[in-house]
Amino acid sequence: MPISSPLTLVVNCGSSSLKFALYDPREPEALLGGLAECLDSPDARIRFDADGERTVTPLAGGGHREALDALLAFLAARGLLERVAAVGHRVVHGGERFTQSAEVSAEVLADIEACAELAPLHNPANLIGIRAAMAALPAARQVAVFDTAFHQTMAPEAYLYALPQQYRRDYGVRRYGFHGTSHRCVSQRAIERLELDPTDNALVVLHLGNGASATAVRNGRSVDTSMGLTPVEGLVMGTRCGDVDAGALLYIARRAGLDLDAVDTMINKKSGLLGLSELSNDCRTLEQAAAAGHEGAQLALDVFCYRIARTVGALAASLPRLDALVFTGGIGENSAHVRAKVLERLAIFGLDLDPERNDVTRGGACAVISRSHRPAAIVVPTDEEGTIARDTAAIAFGLSASAAEVA
Amino acid sequence: MPISSPLTLVVNCGSSSLKFALYDPREPEALLGGLAECLDSPDARIRFDADGERTVTPLAGGGHREALDALLAFLAARGLLERVAAVGHRVVHGGERFTQSAEVSAEVLADIEACAELAPLHNPANLIGIRAAMAALPAARQVAVFDTAFHQTMAPEAYLYALPQQYRRDYGVRRYGFHGTSHRCVSQRAIERLELDPTDNALVVLHLGNGASATAVRNGRSVDTSMGLTPVEGLVMGTRCGDVDAGALLYIARRAGLDLDAVDTMINKKSGLLGLSELSNDCRTLEQAAAAGHEGAQLALDVFCYRIARTVGALAASLPRLDALVFTGGIGENSAHVRAKVLERLAIFGLDLDPERNDVTRGGACAVISRSHRPAAIVVPTDEEGTIARDTAAIAFGLSASAAEVA
Ligand SMILES: Nc1ncnc2c1ncn2[C@@H]1O[C@H](COP(=O)(O)OP(=O)(O)O)[C@@H](O)[C@H]1O
Ligand SMILES: Nc1ncnc2c1ncn2[C@@H]1O[C@H](COP(=O)(O)OP(=O)(O)O)[C@@H](O)[C@H]1O
């Protein structure tokens, strides 16, 4: 295998961050990775994790463009830049247009732009990353991988809201769902690990991080999911409220005199674990505080776990049976407490807990944590960057990979 | 038994209607009943159903007060008025103050008034009825029966929203639930009819009418329910949206330029079956239209049934097992189509359908419609007026009745 084999760069632009990783398509692990954060602020900086070393460089005032320049310079200095033959971009909202990953063309760019109305904070940042990468690496092929694509297999009764249908026709209002790359990656891994029949299986996947969502997966296809038109719906999250009575929002807006922007800030930034605990949006912090007797922290964790169980039940109604409940994301992979509380509430589905296995499972380990076999409860680390890299390689280099699975 | 035995009048004041029924506490069926509607409009009228005859009298421009006067005159003319010793009033919102039915006192009136902020359309109408009845029948005892009271047994993790907790402290924002009198009545009847252990049973009750809600009932107590602070949350209803992404409402409000009142009208009056079908809010009308090939009607029914199944799953996660799924309300008691579609989706809980029994069950019949025994699917007619009458008699006359059950 020649040393100059082509590499895949993965770029994930958030509203004020840029995450990246470099892959050799022949290897499952990234060669290097890192994160630029606090972009467009005086604290802007970029961190590289390579060869077991971490280096941080300030980018004072720099934006996505400057971050990408710093990344390319870093790669060039190591002789890696010229080997980057494909760039995979995470794109948050693909609307109804994108049902799988797509090579970037003028038409695809226009379509991503059209979807920006649905994700005004995210898609524009994603587009900045794509355009900057096209300018800097004109010879490389660019691939877009969408958070929503995996959920395009939902049936109308699962994705329609009972709102006036003119808003669906005119503005595209419907359930789309997010975290699709993670749900796809993790459901595939769970099916392999549990040796389920690939043509007849039924899972619920819990992606529990700062953002959190749950998906019912039937034979590798999403049939229902907890997030909606926006990532506010569904589970309790770090600072997002998840499911809430629409009438309650009107009631609060009227009594507290909030306008639309203030309601937006409330449901996106001041709610969730933070709003309930009045302490923190961070699960680990709350677990420590609850153990030390903080009532708000305990309540926040209780509501968080209760609502996860409630949502698993809601999604399970789309499945003929439950083969496995799959935990992933920062909380799902690391919090034995949350997993135990959730499983405790799901005995109705035949789920139970193996406390020993649960307690020792964290930090990227894959493990069954139930005594029950069908359904099983299993922890599966997610790998969104790796999945994007595989989709990208499949499309750019024609390598067989997971992109084919979603077709 | 003396002919002059005391009678109980049940009064249910809606925003522009007044429903009533007269009971002899020794008999399960009402002696007479009726409805005043279109109050405070030129079309105002009152209908009496008594002795197998229906009479309608215009009340042009009349309000609740005039309707009550007409009712009392009707009773006086039949020598029944002097026998009315107690009046039971339906009150929609009892907040956290009322955990069961209560005899009306100055303090209780003030508390109902305090809860009016939570139900600005309903509680004031209920108060008009109570005050008018107190003035007209000063010797009768007045009892308030609350839609929310049955759900006060929910645990904090089930009733808290993941919103900033200051709104709970300052404005009472939490899940309350509604239709409590119906859920209580129907769950009790189902337990008796299915001969379930009164100290160890687990039901989900579906009250499906123009308003619709579902409740998980464990040993006679509500443990979770689909309606929230307001009756907008949960299932798809005639014109209410039920569960919806909060972010989607903001998105629509911004794009369509709606203010809070317009959003309120949208989610309460233009959504639900009406918004989805763009035809009607009426289930029977939609079934006929769908059978004749109307796509919107079919879609509305599909979403309605899907969301019922999804909600049953969500609520079942609060139960250790499912003994029975109970259908009630105008749709639950009459629509074999809706019941069949809902049960079709709930095989994961071991539920199935007995098509012959299902097809012939309507119009107030009580019947098991599943082949499966545990869980069973059962249709149970609701009797909200009768339940209010029994609570009222129990409190006013010291007769043992269902009021004791909720203590
Ligand atoms: N050991 C742990 N115990 C409990 N929670 C943890 C632990 N490690 C990480 N977490 C939680 O995981 C969450 C972050 O998850 P992550 O998937 O990294 O988030 P993001 O959605 O931003 O990618 C935080 O709430 C953090 O507290
Ligand atoms: N035979 C029937 N088939 C289908 N739906 C029916 C039938 N009879 C009544 N309904 C429906 O029941 C609903 C009214 O239910 P009801 O409990 O009376 O309402 P409310 O909540 O106003 O008390 C309407 O949607 C109506 O179409």
Side-chain angles (χ1 to χ4, degrees), chain A residues 117 157 162 169 171 224-225 229-230 233 245 251 254-255 261 264 271-272 278 306 310 313-314 317-318 345, chain B residues 117 157 162 169 171 224-225 229-230 233 245 251 254-255 261 264 271-272 278 306 310 313-314 317-318 345:
Chain A
E117 277 175 334
E157 56 266 33
R169 287 192 296 270
Y171 305 148
D224 199 359
T225 192
L229 175 83
T230 78
E233 196 179 0
D245 181 0
Y251 178 74
R254 286 190 175 124
R255 291 207 57 178
D261 286 345
D264 197 340
S271 292
E278 304 188 301
Y306 182 85
R310 203 185 202 253
S318 292
R345 292 195 171 277
Chain B
E117 278 175 333
E157 56 267 32
R169 287 191 296 272
Y171 306 147
D224 199 357
T225 192
L229 174 82
T230 77
E233 196 179 0
D245 181 0
Y251 178 74
R254 286 191 174 121
R255 291 207 57 177
D261 286 345
D264 197 339
S271 293
E278 304 188 301
Y306 182 84
R310 201 184 204 251
S318 292
R345 291 197 171 275

Side-chain angles (χ1 to χ4, degrees), chain B residues 200-215:
Chain B
D200 181 16
N201 58 71
L203 317 175
V204 172
V205 178
L206 294 168
H207 177 107
L208 308 176
N210 280 313
S213 71
T215 299

Side-chain angles (χ1 to χ4, degrees), chain B residues 71-87:
Chain B
L71 166 59
L72 299 179
F74 183 90
L75 297 179
R78 278 153 191 78
L80 294 167
L81 185 60
E82 59 191 37
R83 289 173 57 197
V84 175
V87 187

Side-chain angles (χ1 to χ4, degrees), chain A residues 209-211 281-284 287 329-331 334-335:
Chain A
N210 280 313
N281 65 316
D282 190 276
C283 183
R284 191 164 17 182
E287 288 186 14
I331 299 171
N334 293 295
S335 174

Side-chain angles (χ1 to χ4, degrees), chain B residues 33-53:
Chain B
L35 170 72
E37 50 192 343
C38 305
L39 296 177
D40 298 308
S41 90
D43 291 336
R45 57 184 177 270
I46 187 165
R47 189 189 82 207
F48 298 95
D49 296 314
D51 309 323
E53 266 180 47

Side-chain angles (χ1 to χ4, degrees), chain B residues 186-197 202-203 323-326 366-370 372-380:
Chain B
V186 160
S187 56
Q188 214 51 55
R189 288 182 171 185
I191 290 166
E192 284 160 22
R193 169 65 192 252
L194 295 171
E195 298 181 0
L196 299 175
D197 180 344
L203 317 175
D323 293 332
L325 180 65
V326 189
C366 183
V368 172
I369 56 163
S370 59
S372 65
H373 181 61
R374 291 286 180 274
I378 182 171
V379 177
V380 176

Side-chain angles (χ1 to χ4, degrees), chain B residues 209-211 281-284 287 329-331 334-335:
Chain B
N210 280 313
N281 65 317
D282 190 278
C283 183
R284 193 165 14 182
E287 288 186 13
I331 299 171
N334 292 296
S335 174

Side-chain angles (χ1 to χ4, degrees), chain A residues 289-335:
Chain A
H294 189 288
E295 276 183 35
Q298 189 59 58
L299 204 60
L301 290 169
D302 288 350
V303 176
F304 181 69
C305 296
Y306 182 85
R307 290 269 292 269
I308 294 170
R310 203 185 202 253
T311 301
V312 171
L315 295 174
S318 292
L319 301 172
R321 62 179 192 279
L322 187 65
D323 293 333
L325 181 65
V326 189
F327 290 87
T328 197
I331 299 171
E333 292 172 41
N334 293 295
S335 174

